[in-house]
Each structure stands twice: as C-alpha cells, then as structure tokens.
Amino acid sequence: MSLLTARGVSMSYGAIAVLQGVDLVVAAGDRIAVVGPNGVGKSTLLRVLAGLVLPDSGVVTAIGTVGYLPQERDRRDDETAMQYLARRTGVASAERAMQTASERLAGGSAGTGQDYQAALDAYLALGGPDLEIRAAQLAASLGLPEDLDGPAAVLSGGQAARLALAAVLLARFDVLLLDEPTNDLDLAGLALLEDHLAAFRGGLVVVSHDRAFLERVAGQVLQIDPHSRQATMYSGGYQAYRIELERDREHAAEAYQTYAAKRDELTERARRQKEWARSGERSANSATARRKEPDKNIRHGRMQAAQQLGARAAATIRAAERLEPVAEPRKEWELRLRFGAATRSGEIVAVLSDAVVRRGTFQLGPVSLQLTWGDRMLVRGANGSGKTTLLQAMLGRIPLSSGRRSLGASVRIGEIDQARRTFDPQAALLDAFCAETGLLPAEARTLLAKFGLGADDVGRRVASLSPGERTRTDLALLMHAAANLLVLDEPTNHLDLPAIEQLEQALDGYDGTLLIVTHDRRLAERVRVTRVVTVSDGMITEG
C-alpha cells in the first residue's frame, strides 16, 4: 500500500521551471534516493511532499504521518533542545492539536469528540507520551548534553548534527523525508543513521551526496534531469543506478550517432543527385549538345534522365525528413576546478605551541602542532571533539586562552568553513564576490559562471542561495585566491556528486599545503594525505 503519492507535480519560481510532471509513489519499505545537480529541485520536491509548499500543478496524497528533516538545521533562538526534538518528531504539533481539541470538547463544541480522538491517536502513534524518556536515554549515547532543556542554538556544529540525528532516531513517522541527513555527522553517527534506516519499516525519501551512504541505504534512485526537470526512477540501488545511467547515456549517444549518420548520408546523397540533375539538364539543353547530337529525341531522353535524377533527389530528401528524429544528448555541465598554488610559502606554515582554547565547559589542548610546506593533513574525530576549533586556532580565528601560535612567511590562506559564512548574507552575490576578490563585475560574472552561477543567480542575495550554491561560490573564491594553504572544513557538504568528484581531482593536483576535515568516507579514501591527526575530547594524536 502506498503511503505517499505524487502525481504530475510541477513547480516554478517565476519563469524558471524547477519540477515538471514528477510522479512518485512511496510504499512501506521503500528506500528512495533523489539525485541530481545542485539547484535541480531536490529540496523543493521534499518540501512539496511534506506539504510545506503547494505545487503549481499536480497532487500529493499522504496516508499516515510524514516527517521532514530540512537540509539546514533550523534551530530557533527561543527553543530548547527538547523542544527542537518535539517539533522535529511531530510530537509538538500533535500535542497542540490534542490540546485544541480538548478545549473545544470542554466547551461543548459539536463533533469535537472525534477530533480529540484523532489528535490523541496521532500523539500516541508519534511516541509523544515517552518522548522525553527516550530522548534522555538517546542523548547520552549520542554525546549530547544531559540537560536537553538548554537552548539548542548554542550547540556546536557537531552537536547540532547529533541533535538532528536524534530527531530522526526518535521519530515514528510513517514516511521520512530527509534532506542531506549525513552533513556534519561523524563516522559513529553515520553508522547509527544507516542502521536505523535499514531497520525502518516505513517509507524513506532521502536527498544525499554521500556516496557510501547512498550505496548502503538506497534501494531505488529518482533522478531529476537538469534540463527537462522531469524525474526518472531507477531500481536496484545506487551502484546499479550509476551503471544503468552510464548505459543509458551510451545508448542515447549511439542512437543519435546512428540517426545523424543516416540523416547526413541522405542529405549528402540528395545534394549530389540535385547537382547531377542540374548538370544533366544544362548539358542536354546547351548549344554544344545540340551540335553534337542533332537528334532531338535523344536529347529529350537525356533531359528526361536528368529530370528523373532530380525526382530521386526529392525522394531522398523526403526519406531524410521521414527519419524518426533523435535528440542530441546534452552535454552535462561540468565543474572544471583547479587549485593553482600561489608563490611558495616559507617552510614553516603554521605552529601551535602549548595552545589552549576554552569555550564554556569545553577545552582544546594543550596542543603543540606544526604544519610545514607541502603537508597534506587530514583531521578526523567525533562530532564535538574540537576539529573545527583546532582549525580556527591555527588560523587565528579565535583567541587562545594560553600558549602561542604563528603563521609562517608568505602564507596565503584559502578557506571553506563549515557554516559557509564567507560572504555578507544580505549583499547581492555579484557585489559580495567583487568586494571579496577585487574583480571587476564582468570578470566576476565569468568566474562564477564556471561554477554554475549564471546571470539569474548573481543578482540574488547571498542569503537566498541554496547551501550547494554557497559552497560553489566558496570554491570559486578558492580558485581565484591562488592560496598556498587550503583549509577545508567539511567541503563536500551540500555539493552534488559530480562536483565532489571534481573536487577530489582538484585536490589531488594541488601542490600547496592542505588541511582538511571531512566525514565523507569516499573523499577521505581518495584524497592523498601525508599526515593524519585525530582529535578526541580536546586532545590530539598523530598517526
């Protein structure tokens, strides 16, 4: 039985089509991954399925409860961690509905008995009565604060990711809609999420660019085409999808080549036949032909032969027109990324000596660490262990409580931070990019276009860009910077799969110093590193 159905869903933003005639059926046990380039409409589709956005056309029908986890963790300033969990699991809204029905029932309103029963059933089905008990038990295993009544907004990036994970693990929805649930999760968190989704009996629709996660979780893949904005379903899991997609592309290319070759052959044949016909007619009617062949019947026969050749040319043209047209496969946009290092820095790039950073109850250090020219260092560790704090301490982004730090001579830093806060969120993208780079508007437009940010994008406010578009903007800035020290904190978050593969190639060819934090298992396997540092409870070990 289908739990969630979408029929003919289309959506546009102004003149820009985002989704076109998308059909989707989600049944219990389905594990559907939605894939496509950044900006193709994956998050929009999830919001439509969740009932948060009404489509321009089409119908979405849900039987049972539907839960949605957005791509950007939507912690509110006035919300505790427990209130966040209640909201994200649907318990808070079910409790409000139950209270409203109870008040109406007490007031003697007609029909409220059934409303109250329906609200109570929803509250019980979503696990409302024991949510706080289950949340407290789960918090300890996830490394969240014991007191979930503290404000959610003050949690670190790693803790925020764990809190979002907790919401998924605690939820009892019939259908889960998850948008980039693996972002910022450490390996332990990823394993918990994957195990939970493997045992989940409801329907799952997930957007993710984590290849290892997709290989383990997805049973079907829904691809949204960036040109037609239509969706195609592939069965058999993520690896099968990649194989079938490549096969489809090869078949499409072969079909077009066969069609184009036949069309060109007929066109060329018709051209030659026309030329021969014109040449024959001229020869048959010329004065020279009449002198050489006085018999008018023979000349007439030659003229008829030339006209018949012209008729065959017309028939050949009609044959070409009757060919079943085959569309030429579009060449997919490809991010061509290259990090060219600027002039070489000094031998010593960055140093921390007995450095200590204190943030509330958390302490990093004392840490002594030296980064030398050409090092390619991977920093790993659990959520909340202090990886981002270590990077910020080395770069001088945060004050040290004690100890010393220094940057070497001629160090030029290129950075992608975890929160993607490089640019003023209220500024237009083009203005912000020009201010940051010093480029002229025309130069900035050209560079941004190479990263898939065209004329319709550069006038938008930075805050209106999707997380993937902000990440592409940061990559454009890195490419311009010609940095000799790249510092990347979860660089694959929000990037689409082709862009991640391009990033891997660009990092492999980079000849400067690299400092990277990532939980992307495929990226960690494929990027060449010379040193590995592990951060645990504020202390570091190497090796």
Side-chain angles (χ1 to χ4, degrees):
M1 181 182 71
S2 63
L3 299 172
L4 182 66
T5 304
R7 296 294 185 195
V9 169
S10 296
M11 188 81 186
S12 299
Y13 291 132
I16 301 174
V18 179
L19 300 170
Q20 192 67 41
V22 175
D23 295 330
L24 178 64
V25 177
V26 184
D30 282 348
R31 305 284 182 271
I32 301 171
V34 182
V35 302
N38 288 137
V40 79
K42 303 184 296 296
S43 295
T44 299
L45 176 60
L46 290 196
R47 289 173 59 81
V48 170
L49 295 176
L52 300 176
V53 176
L54 290 176
D56 298 333
S57 61
V59 177
V60 176
T61 306
I63 300 175
T65 54
V66 178
Y68 168 65
L69 178 69
Q71 183 173 174
E72 296 188 273
R73 311 304 180 226
D74 58 339
R75 295 170 291 164
R76 298 171 180 173
D77 292 339
D78 60 347
E79 190 174 55
T80 68
M82 189 65 238
Q83 288 169 336
Y84 170 89
L85 293 174
R87 177 168 59 86
R88 278 282 144 233
T89 55
V91 168
S93 61
E95 188 170 16
R96 285 194 301 272
M98 190 170 63
Q99 289 172 346
T100 300
S102 177
E103 291 169 1
R104 293 181 63 201
L105 182 63
S109 299
T112 53
Q114 292 179 340
D115 293 343
Y116 179 79
Q117 187 60 53
L120 176 61
D121 289 343
Y123 179 73
L124 294 174
L126 292 170
D130 64 345
L131 176 64
E132 291 192 8
I133 296 172
R134 292 186 291 120
Q137 293 170 343
L138 184 61
S141 64
L142 291 181
L144 289 169
E146 293 182 9
D147 181 13
L148 293 176
D149 291 327
V154 302
L155 296 177
S156 70
Q159 288 175 322
R162 289 285 181 131
L163 187 65
L165 172 62
V168 176
L169 301 181
L170 292 167
R172 292 181 176 175
F173 293 110
D174 297 310
V175 177
L176 281 176
L177 309 175
L178 307 181
D179 198 350
E180 297 290 2
T182 65
N183 280 355
D184 303 320
L185 281 181
D186 57 24
L187 297 179
L190 287 169
L192 276 172
L193 177 63
E194 290 169 356
D195 290 345
H196 175 75
L197 295 179
F200 179 57
R201 295 181 180 180
L204 171 69
V205 183
V206 60
V207 172
S208 178
H209 297 130
D210 185 317
R211 292 157 290 183
F213 173 78
L214 291 175
E215 289 166 6
R216 288 168 170 80
V217 170
Q220 300 163 278
V221 176
L222 184 76
Q223 178 187 265
I224 302 178
D225 185 86
H227 307 296
S228 69
R229 300 302 175 122
Q230 297 175 335
T232 303
M233 183 70 80
Y234 293 82
S235 300
Y238 181 69
Q239 285 287 12
Y241 152 73
R242 293 290 294 261
I243 294 169
E244 191 173 349
L245 180 64
E246 187 59 34
R247 187 184 300 124
D248 286 350
R249 287 174 174 168
E250 290 175 358
H251 288 168
E254 290 171 2
Y256 177 74
Q257 289 169 3
T258 300
Y259 160 75
K262 184 65 175 177
R263 179 199 61 198
D264 293 347
E265 176 196 345
L266 291 173
T267 302
E268 177 60 20
R269 185 192 304 171
R271 187 195 65 78
R272 291 197 304 268
Q273 288 171 334
K274 282 183 177 180
E275 183 60 35
W276 292 337
R278 286 194 294 269
S279 177
E281 289 179 3
R282 286 195 299 269
S283 297
N285 282 327
S286 67
T288 303
R290 287 194 294 272
R291 285 196 302 271
K292 289 184 177 181
E293 181 53 70
D295 191 323
K296 65 179 181 180
N297 292 322
I298 294 177
R299 293 200 308 274
H300 179 69
R302 290 174 178 171
M303 177 65 72
Q304 284 186 320
Q307 290 172 346
Q308 288 172 358
L309 194 57
R312 285 199 295 273
T316 302
I317 291 173
R318 288 194 296 273
E321 291 172 345
R322 285 194 299 270
L323 288 176
E324 186 70 29
V326 177
E328 182 177 5
R330 296 199 188 203
K331 187 175 181 180
E332 297 297 326
W333 177 84
E334 184 176 305
L335 174 64
R336 298 188 178 276
L337 183 61
R338 183 177 181 276
F339 299 130
T343 55
R344 189 187 191 282
S345 72
E347 184 64 22
I348 305 301
V349 176
V351 177
L352 289 176
S353 299
D354 295 321
V356 174
V357 176
R358 294 188 180 90
R359 285 181 158 179
T361 59
F362 174 78
Q363 176 175 311
L364 174 72
V367 173
S368 294
L369 186 65
Q370 179 172 295
L371 196 62
T372 58
W373 167 254
D375 279 347
R376 300 172 66 86
M377 181 181 290
L378 171 65
V379 180
R380 62 187 182 188
N383 287 138
S385 61
K387 302 182 299 298
T388 297
T389 302
L390 175 64
L391 266 57
Q392 291 174 337
M394 293 195 75
L395 298 181
R397 303 285 189 258
I398 55 176
L400 300 182
S401 301
S402 63
R404 294 183 299 106
R405 66 163 161 237
S406 62
L407 282 178
S410 304
V411 173
R412 292 187 61 178
I413 299 171
E415 181 183 7
I416 291 182
D417 73 353
Q418 194 175 67
R420 310 296 192 259
R421 293 173 297 201
T422 306
F423 301 96
D424 178 3
Q426 300 308 314
L429 173 59
L430 183 61
D431 295 340
F433 196 80
C434 289
E436 191 72 28
T437 61
L439 292 173
L440 295 174
E443 297 170 330
R445 285 177 182 273
T446 300
L447 179 55
L448 289 169
K450 293 179 180 179
F451 288 79
L453 298 162
D456 293 332
D457 301 310
V458 296
R460 293 163 53 193
R461 288 189 306 115
V462 171
S464 73
L465 299 175
S466 72
E469 289 168 331
R470 292 202 299 271
T471 302
R472 286 175 183 261
T473 304
D474 284 344
L475 288 174
L477 182 61
L478 278 190
M479 187 166 165
H480 168 76
N484 52 31
L485 170 60
L486 286 185
V487 183
L488 309 179
D489 195 352
E490 299 292 359
T492 61
N493 280 0
H494 313 299
L495 277 181
D496 58 41
L497 295 167
I500 290 173
E501 292 168 355
Q502 284 290 313
L503 175 63
E504 289 172 353
Q505 294 177 22
L507 291 178
D508 189 60
Y510 178 63
D511 58 1
T513 305
L514 175 65
L515 186 57
I516 183 171
V517 172
T518 184
H519 292 130
D520 187 308
R521 289 160 286 187
R522 293 290 177 266
L523 184 76
E525 289 170 1
R526 295 172 183 176
V527 170
R528 175 173 48 89
V529 297
T530 59
R531 299 172 65 184
V532 177
V533 167
T534 301
V535 185
S536 178
D537 296 326
M539 301 301 293
I540 71 165
T541 56
E542 185 168 356

